[in-house]
Amino acid sequence: MGEMYLENAEQTEQFGRQLFTQLSPGELVFLHGELGVGKTTLVRGLLRESGYQGTVKSPTYNLVEEYDFGGKKICHFDLYRLKDPEELEWLGMDDYINERYLCLIEWPEMGKGYLPAPDYQYFMSISGSGRKISYATKKS
């Protein structure tokens, strides 16, 4: 498991940019951490590196934001408000995975028992005035 310290939102976004270069279509990424820790900031950096220039917002209320542009397919899920993991079927989670979307999932523990094993997991926490991020792949 790797670990690093991110001093501010700019470094968190930069980490997301670097992350995009390491990911492939069809991979599943879990983002763990409390509210306000910077998960969506990380996703914003990833999307910017992918070439997406539109608004990036947390999908807290509609649970999923789909980005399908320039041949790239990325889905950003926020499962914080999920009531039952079976709701993921209604959201079409299997379709996103089968269509080889890069799936980024905040609050994956809310989908426990329904979500497949992730390719990568990132654990974010507040550390002083910045953030600590720990990460692992299913290979580690």
Side-chain angles (χ1 to χ4, degrees):
M1 181 176 287
E3 184 175 292
M4 68 185 314
Y5 180 77
L6 305 168
E7 291 184 22
N8 51 41
E10 290 78 24
Q11 284 189 358
T12 302
E13 195 166 320
Q14 184 58 38
F15 183 85
R17 286 179 174 274
Q18 292 168 355
L19 179 59
F20 176 75
T21 66
Q22 300 168 22
L23 299 175
S24 300
E27 289 186 316
L28 184 61
V29 179
F30 286 0
L31 302 170
H32 301 273
E34 294 301 315
L35 288 171
V37 79
K39 298 179 297 292
T40 298
T41 301
L42 186 148
V43 170
R44 182 180 307 112
L46 185 146
L47 285 165
R48 291 289 179 249
E49 188 65 22
S50 77
Y52 182 76
Q53 295 303 313
T55 302
V56 177
K57 59 185 183 219
S58 178
T60 301
Y61 293 99
N62 56 348
L63 303 179
V64 63
E65 287 290 332
E66 183 179 331
Y67 303 90
D68 191 344
F69 63 98
K72 297 177 184 87
K73 294 181 173 189
I74 301 171
C75 274
H76 179 199
F77 291 86
D78 184 333
L79 304 183
Y80 182 73
R81 296 189 184 283
L82 195 70
K83 301 284 188 240
D84 185 314
E86 289 183 8
E87 289 179 56
L88 291 173
E89 187 173 339
W90 176 79
L91 286 173
M93 175 61 77
D94 290 338
D95 294 335
Y96 289 116
I97 291 170
N98 292 335
E99 290 182 31
R100 303 208 26 89
Y101 275 79
L102 171 58
C103 294
L104 311 164
I105 302 179
E106 296 185 31
W107 299 95
E109 58 275 12
M110 302 301 285
K112 188 175 181 178
Y114 187 86
L115 292 172
D119 296 293
Y120 299 91
Q121 292 196 75
Y122 293 87
F123 302 87
M124 298 178 74
S125 60
I126 295 173
S127 179
S129 62
R131 303 295 187 260
K132 181 176 81 171
I133 186 163
S134 305
Y135 46 94
T137 69
K138 66 180 176 183
K139 298 173 188 121
S140 12

